[in-house]
Amino acid sequence: MISDHDKSDRNNDGIDSPAILNDLMQNNGVAKDPFGFQIDLKNISSQNLNNLTPQTNPVLNGPFGAVKGSIIRNGTTVTLHPTANAQVRGLIYLNSASPTGSKNAFLVSSSYGKGRVLAIGDSSTIDDGTCRGNDQCYDGWNDPAAQNRALFLNGTAWLAKAI
C-alpha cells in the first residue's frame, strides 16, 4: 500500500489517498482494522529517514541488500494499532519518533490470516523519475539519501513468500 500526504487528491474527487486507504481498513467486509494501522492525515515536506526499528526484519535486511534509511518528499506517517492486530510492526520511523512506538511510523508491515501487507507513507520513495506528459516526478528509487531500491525489492520478496 502506497499512500501519499494529506491533500493529495490527484483526480479531484475530494478524497485523498490516506482517506481511501483508511476507508479500506475500516469498511472492507472482512474485519475492522484487520492489519492494525491507519494512515495519518499529515503532509511532511521532506526528511531523510534513518530511524529504523531495532528488530531484524527481512524487508530491511533481505536478499537485495541492507536498508539504512528512506526518504519523505511530501508524505505522511502511519499509526499502529497492535491491540487490533498484534502482527503490525513499524519498520522505519520519523527521526524524532521512538523506533518501537506506535506513532509516526513511515513504513509498516503486517499480516492477517495468510495475507501480508506493507504500507508506506509516500509515493516518492518508489518513483523512478519517469512520468507521462507534463507530470512532475521525483526519482526516489535512486535518491542517494536512501536505499529505496533494496527496500522495495526486499519488500516484494517478503510479500511474495508463503507464510
Side-chain angles (χ1 to χ4, degrees):
M1 300 173 77
I2 301 171
S3 185
D4 229 333
H5 54 87
D6 189 26
K7 310 290 186 246
S8 61
D9 182 7
R10 302 294 193 253
N11 64 356
N12 299 313
D13 68 353
I15 306 172
D16 299 329
S17 57
I20 292 168
L21 295 175
N22 287 337
D23 183 59
L24 174 65
M25 293 296 110
Q26 299 302 316
N27 302 306
N28 54 53
V30 176
K32 184 174 179 168
D33 202 8
F35 292 110
F37 63 83
Q38 76 178 33
I39 311 298
D40 301 324
L41 298 177
K42 296 180 182 178
N43 185 358
I44 301 162
S45 62
S46 184
Q47 193 172 131
N48 295 342
L49 305 171
N50 59 11
N51 189 10
L52 283 60
T53 185
Q55 67 189 9
T56 302
N57 185 283
V59 175
L60 300 177
N61 298 292
F64 296 95
V67 176
K68 304 282 189 232
S70 189
I71 58 163
I72 294 179
R73 303 294 185 257
N74 289 102
T76 191
T77 57
V78 179
T79 296
L80 285 63
H81 303 144
T83 56
N85 184 326
Q87 301 303 310
V88 68
R89 300 282 183 269
L91 303 180
I92 300 176
Y93 288 80
L94 293 183
N95 292 333
S96 61
S98 166
T100 59
S102 62
K103 298 207 181 281
N104 294 314
F106 176 65
L107 173 69
V108 301
S109 68
S110 188
S111 61
Y112 180 83
K114 292 186 178 183
R116 291 180 172 184
V117 68
L118 286 171
I120 195 161
D122 188 7
S123 63
S124 297
T125 55
I126 196 167
D127 195 337
D128 68 357
T130 59
C131 292
R132 60 184 180 139
N134 294 324
D135 290 348
Q136 183 177 356
C137 293
Y138 184 84
D139 188 0
W141 188 262
N142 295 303
D143 190 301
Q147 294 78 44
N148 291 323
R149 178 186 181 282
L151 176 66
F152 282 101
L153 293 174
N154 287 343
T156 301
W158 178 78
L159 288 167
K161 186 175 181 180
I163 293 177

